[in-house]
Coordinates of all heavy atoms in Angstrom, one line a residue:
I24 N -77.0 54.4 106.6 CA -76.9 53.1 107.2 C -76.2 52.1 106.2 O -76.6 52.1 105.0 CB -78.2 52.5 107.6 CG1 -78.9 53.4 108.6 CG2 -78.1 51.1 108.2 CD1 -80.4 53.0 108.9
I25 N -75.2 51.4 106.7 CA -74.6 50.4 105.8 C -74.7 49.0 106.5 O -74.2 48.9 107.7 CB -73.1 50.7 105.6 CG1 -72.9 52.1 105.0 CG2 -72.5 49.6 104.6 CD1 -71.4 52.5 104.9
L47 N -74.0 54.8 110.3 CA -74.3 53.7 111.2 C -73.9 52.4 110.5 O -74.5 52.1 109.4 CB -75.8 53.7 111.6 CG -76.2 52.5 112.4 CD1 -75.5 52.3 113.8 CD2 -77.7 52.6 112.7
L48 N -73.0 51.6 111.1 CA -72.5 50.4 110.5 C -73.2 49.2 111.3 O -73.1 49.2 112.5 CB -71.0 50.3 110.7 CG -70.2 51.4 110.2 CD1 -68.7 51.1 110.3 CD2 -70.5 51.7 108.7
L49 N -73.6 48.2 110.5 CA -74.2 47.0 111.1 C -73.6 45.8 110.5 O -73.4 45.7 109.3 CB -75.7 47.0 110.8 CG -76.5 48.2 111.2 CD1 -78.0 48.1 110.6 CD2 -76.6 48.4 112.7
A50 N -73.3 44.8 111.4 CA -72.8 43.5 111.0 C -72.7 42.7 112.3 O -72.9 43.2 113.4 CB -71.4 43.6 110.4
L53 N -68.8 42.7 115.9 CA -68.7 44.0 116.5 C -67.2 44.4 116.7 O -66.8 45.6 116.5 CB -69.4 44.0 117.9 CG -69.5 45.4 118.5 CD1 -70.3 46.4 117.7 CD2 -70.2 45.2 119.9
L56 N -66.1 46.0 113.5 CA -66.7 47.3 113.4 C -66.0 48.4 114.3 O -65.9 49.5 113.9 CB -68.2 47.3 113.8 CG -69.1 46.4 112.8 CD1 -70.6 46.4 113.3 CD2 -69.1 46.9 111.4
R67 N -70.8 55.2 113.8 CA -71.6 54.5 114.8 C -71.6 53.1 114.5 O -71.8 52.7 113.3 CB -73.0 55.1 114.8 CG -73.0 56.6 115.1 CD -74.1 57.3 114.4 NE -74.1 58.7 114.5 CZ -74.9 59.4 115.3 NH1 -75.9 58.8 116.0 NH2 -74.8 60.7 115.4
V68 N -71.5 52.2 115.5 CA -71.5 50.8 115.2 C -72.4 50.0 116.1 O -72.5 50.3 117.3 CB -70.0 50.2 115.3 CG1 -69.1 50.9 114.3 CG2 -69.5 50.3 116.7
E69 N -73.0 49.0 115.5 CA -73.9 48.1 116.3 C -73.8 46.7 115.7 O -73.9 46.5 114.5 CB -75.4 48.5 116.2 CG -75.7 49.9 116.8 CD -75.8 50.0 118.3 OE1 -75.7 48.9 118.9 OE2 -75.9 51.1 118.8
A70 N -73.8 45.7 116.6 CA -73.8 44.3 116.2 C -75.2 43.9 115.7 O -76.2 44.3 116.4 CB -73.4 43.4 117.3
L71 N -75.3 43.3 114.6 CA -76.6 42.8 114.1 C -76.5 41.6 113.2 O -75.6 41.6 112.3 CB -77.3 43.9 113.3 CG -78.6 43.5 112.7 CD1 -79.7 43.6 113.8 CD2 -79.0 44.3 111.5
D72 N -77.3 40.6 113.6 CA -77.4 39.4 112.7 C -78.7 39.5 111.9 O -79.8 39.4 112.5 CB -77.3 38.1 113.6 CG -77.3 36.9 112.7 OD1 -77.6 36.9 111.5 OD2 -77.0 35.8 113.3
L73 N -78.6 39.6 110.6 CA -79.8 39.8 109.8 C -80.7 38.5 109.8 O -81.8 38.6 109.3 CB -79.4 40.2 108.4 CG -78.9 41.6 108.2 CD1 -78.2 41.7 106.8 CD2 -80.0 42.6 108.3
R75 N -81.5 36.9 112.5 CA -82.1 36.6 113.9 C -83.6 36.7 113.9 O -84.2 37.2 113.0 CB -81.5 37.6 114.9 CG -81.9 39.1 114.6 CD -81.6 40.0 115.8 NE -82.8 39.9 116.7 CZ -82.7 40.1 118.0 NH1 -81.6 40.3 118.6 NH2 -83.8 40.1 118.7
N77 N -87.2 37.9 115.1 CA -87.7 39.3 115.4 C -86.8 40.4 115.0 O -86.5 41.3 115.7 CB -88.0 39.4 116.9 CG -89.1 38.5 117.3 OD1 -90.1 38.4 116.6 ND2 -89.0 37.8 118.4
L78 N -86.3 40.2 113.8 CA -85.3 41.2 113.3 C -85.9 42.6 113.3 O -85.3 43.6 113.7 CB -84.8 40.8 111.8 CG -83.9 41.8 111.1 CD1 -82.6 42.0 111.9 CD2 -83.7 41.4 109.7
G79 N -87.1 42.8 112.8 CA -87.7 44.1 112.6 C -87.7 45.0 113.8 O -87.1 46.0 113.8
P80 N -88.4 44.5 114.9 CA -88.4 45.3 116.1 C -87.0 45.6 116.7 O -86.7 46.7 117.2 CB -89.2 44.5 117.1 CG -90.0 43.5 116.3 CD -89.2 43.3 115.1
H81 N -86.1 44.6 116.6 CA -84.8 44.8 117.1 C -84.0 45.9 116.3 O -83.4 46.8 116.9 CB -84.0 43.4 117.1 CG -82.6 43.5 117.5 ND1 -82.3 43.6 118.9 CD2 -81.5 43.4 116.9 CE1 -81.0 43.6 119.0 NE2 -80.5 43.5 117.8
L82 N -84.1 45.7 115.0 CA -83.4 46.7 114.1 C -84.0 48.1 114.3 O -83.3 49.1 114.3 CB -83.6 46.2 112.7 CG -82.9 47.0 111.6 CD1 -81.4 47.1 111.9 CD2 -83.1 46.3 110.3
H83 N -85.3 48.2 114.5 CA -86.0 49.5 114.7 C -85.4 50.2 115.9 O -85.0 51.4 115.9 CB -87.5 49.3 114.9 CG -88.2 50.6 115.0 ND1 -88.5 51.2 116.2 CD2 -88.6 51.5 114.1 CE1 -89.1 52.4 116.0 NE2 -89.2 52.6 114.7
S84 N -85.2 49.4 117.0 CA -84.7 50.1 118.2 C -83.2 50.5 118.0 O -82.8 51.5 118.5 CB -84.9 49.2 119.5 OG -84.1 48.0 119.3
I85 N -82.5 49.7 117.3 CA -81.0 50.0 117.0 C -81.0 51.3 116.2 O -80.3 52.3 116.5 CB -80.3 48.9 116.2 CG1 -80.1 47.7 117.1 CG2 -79.0 49.4 115.6 CD1 -79.3 46.6 116.5
I86 N -81.7 51.4 115.1 CA -81.6 52.5 114.2 C -82.1 53.8 114.9 O -81.4 54.8 114.8 CB -82.4 52.2 112.9 CG1 -81.7 51.1 112.1 CG2 -82.5 53.5 112.0 CD1 -82.5 50.7 110.8
T87 N -83.3 53.7 115.6 CA -83.8 54.9 116.1 C -83.0 55.4 117.3 O -83.1 56.6 117.7 CB -85.3 54.7 116.5 OG1 -85.4 53.6 117.4 CG2 -86.2 54.6 115.3
A88 N -82.2 54.6 117.9 CA -81.3 55.1 118.9 C -80.2 56.0 118.4 O -79.6 56.8 119.1 CB -80.6 53.9 119.6
H89 N -80.0 55.9 117.0 CA -79.0 56.7 116.4 C -79.6 57.8 115.5 O -79.1 59.0 115.5 CB -78.0 55.9 115.5 CG -77.2 55.0 116.3 ND1 -76.0 55.4 116.9 CD2 -77.3 53.7 116.8 CE1 -75.4 54.4 117.6 NE2 -76.2 53.4 117.5
F90 N -80.6 57.5 114.8 CA -81.1 58.4 113.8 C -82.7 58.5 113.9 O -83.3 57.5 114.0 CB -80.9 57.9 112.3 CG -79.4 57.8 112.0 CD1 -79.0 56.8 111.1 CD2 -78.4 58.7 112.4 CE1 -77.6 56.6 110.7 CE2 -77.1 58.6 112.0 CZ -76.7 57.6 111.2
S91 N -83.2 59.8 113.8 CA -84.7 59.9 113.7 C -85.1 59.9 112.3 O -86.2 59.8 111.9 CB -85.1 61.1 114.4 OG -84.4 62.2 113.9
V93 N -83.5 58.8 108.1 CA -82.4 58.2 107.4 C -82.4 58.7 105.9 O -83.5 58.7 105.3 CB -82.6 56.6 107.4 CG1 -81.5 55.9 106.5 CG2 -82.5 56.1 108.8
V133 N -88.1 48.5 108.0 CA -87.8 49.3 109.2 C -87.4 50.7 108.8 O -87.8 51.7 109.5 CB -86.8 48.6 110.0 CG1 -86.3 49.5 111.2 CG2 -87.3 47.3 110.6
T134 N -86.6 50.8 107.7 CA -86.0 52.1 107.4 C -86.9 53.1 106.6 O -86.9 54.3 106.8 CB -84.7 51.9 106.6 OG1 -83.9 50.9 107.4 CG2 -83.9 53.1 106.5
L137 N -88.6 56.0 108.2 CA -87.8 57.0 108.7 C -87.2 57.9 107.5 O -86.4 58.7 107.8 CB -86.6 56.4 109.4 CG -87.0 55.5 110.6 CD1 -85.7 54.8 111.2 CD2 -87.6 56.3 111.7

Side-chain angles (χ1 to χ4, degrees):
I24 299 172
I25 306 171
L47 171 60
L48 307 183
L49 305 171
L53 189 59
L56 295 179
R67 298 145 185 257
V68 301
E69 298 281 355
L71 179 79
D72 184 346
L73 286 165
R75 63 164 276 150
N77 293 318
L78 175 63
H81 180 71
L82 187 53
H83 184 267
S84 64
I85 288 180
I86 293 175
T87 53
H89 292 276
F90 298 145
S91 56
V93 176
V133 169
T134 309
L137 302 172

